[in-house]
Amino acid sequence: MSDSIKSKEIIYQIYPKSFKDSSHSGIGDLRGVIESLDYIKQIGVTTIWLNPIFLSPQIDNGYDVSDYESIDPIFGSMRDVEVLIKQAHQRGLKIMFDLVLNHTSSKHPWFISATEDKNSLYRDFYLWEDLKEGNELPNNWASFFGGPVWEREPYFNQVYFHLFDKEMPDLNWDNPKVREAMLNVALFWLEKGVDGFRLDAFIHMKKADFSLIVKEDPEKTLIAEEYYANLPEVSIYLEEFIEALKKRKPSLFILGEAASATPVLAKSYLGPNLCDAVISFDHIQDKLDINEEELDLGLTKKVIDVKGIKGRLKAWQTELDNDELPSLYWNNHDMPRLVSRFGQTGKLRVKSIKPLSTGMYLLRGIPVILYGEEIGMKKLE
């Protein structure tokens, strides 16, 4: 995608489950998105980013995929997807799918085969280790969802690696067959007419040697980003993947989720055969509200850190080159809504949301707007 076209992108994130329920089932669906296309076009966006709609047990709201080439019936059918893509294109809108690269569901046929047969072709699609003497785990790395990254498999005396929930085993991207399989998934959707992908958690595709221990406290299970995030091989796998896709569709737009990336690190993920833009949480700076009684640190209200966020936004604006555009966003499915987090509800809702939106969306970059943000939607209370 050329820089001039890329700079005009405005992305509208839709979390289908809670967007529009056309069937009155209690869950938003693809027909609801289709029915809203005229409205979406009217507000001026160019691309719709859909959170995962693939078949899933919904342990992590669709980010645990059990079949990448099937649509979960709670959202509709493959025919609904085809109609959505066609009708979006008729209105000059593009469709971007959320593609989960780091892991699958434990209900995926690959993992089921891998756990039932140690000689399965899919055994090496995942990451396994023997327990140490005394049934100790291989290391003290922590999962982002709590507890260790290791889980005992059901039939054999090994453990498998899961950076997120235990029902979301990580894929082994060192295996060329995994890279080929995931490329084929993306090519399948290109054939359906998808215009882009948001690459979920791609920075975790490579892990360090499992013998390494977080030395801060070897007796505790600790977050170990230095061992499972942003390792050098990630850029290699990413470029191989994207280059193959852009050979098929040069106009493809790739938005990578690099949650912990600084501007300097983000630059290593941007380029002609890399991401067109990345999402990082680096610029979202907050601090404890000193007026709140600190009953529990996790429940204490936080407010915007104006100085901190200005500094981080400035870094993203100045450290990326002219052809490296920052993504501009206040909130997404991983964060509370802007009004409820940093704005004011009630009579001051409009007055608080306008300067926040102006401060973000008049910067250089690609706006990524969470559905409802355009009307100052707040969280349910």
Side-chain angles (χ1 to χ4, degrees), residues 15-21 27-29 75 337 371:
Y15 188 74
K17 274 188 175 181
S18 57
F19 184 66
K20 184 178 181 182
D21 175 13
I27 297 175
D29 49 48
F75 299 121
R337 286 191 173 275
Y371 79 98

Side-chain angles (χ1 to χ4, degrees), residues 229-377:
N230 300 304
L231 296 178
E233 290 84 354
V234 169
S235 293
I236 297 172
Y237 297 153
L238 186 67
E239 184 167 17
E240 176 188 286
F241 180 77
I242 295 174
E243 183 177 19
L245 292 178
K246 290 197 172 182
K247 281 181 180 178
R248 187 72 61 91
K249 189 168 189 172
S251 64
L252 188 71
F253 185 85
I254 299 290
L255 179 66
E257 184 203 15
S260 57
T262 62
V264 172
L265 181 56
K267 289 170 72 71
S268 68
Y269 297 135
L270 298 170
N273 288 320
L274 290 165
C275 297
D276 294 291
V278 298
I279 285 180
S280 169
F281 300 169
D282 175 69
H283 67 275
I284 304 294
Q285 301 290 313
D286 55 21
K287 59 185 179 181
L288 293 175
D289 186 344
I290 58 174
N291 296 318
E292 287 281 320
E293 184 179 355
E294 294 187 28
L295 298 175
D296 184 311
L297 196 61
L299 299 176
T300 302
K301 180 177 173 56
K302 293 183 179 181
V303 296
I304 190 170
D305 180 350
V306 176
K307 183 177 180 180
I309 204 166
K310 284 177 66 176
R312 297 316 302 150
L313 285 173
K314 181 180 179 181
W316 282 91
Q317 292 291 305
T318 58
E319 293 183 27
L320 297 188
D321 296 334
N322 289 335
D323 59 344
E324 297 170 340
L325 295 174
S327 59
L328 308 173
Y329 72 94
W330 275 115
N331 38 206
N332 60 31
H333 62 285
D334 284 324
M335 297 177 173
R337 286 191 173 275
L338 174 60
V339 175
S340 300
R341 188 175 190 184
F342 292 140
Q344 295 288 328
T345 56
K347 293 181 179 179
L348 295 177
R349 184 170 67 130
V350 174
K351 286 186 176 180
S352 68
I353 198 67
K354 284 184 176 180
L356 289 168
S357 298
T358 301
M360 181 66 73
Y361 298 125
L362 290 186
L363 295 173
R364 179 178 72 95
I366 300 173
V368 183
I369 300 167
L370 178 64
Y371 79 98
E373 190 176 339
E374 72 278 8
I375 59 172
M377 187 179 289

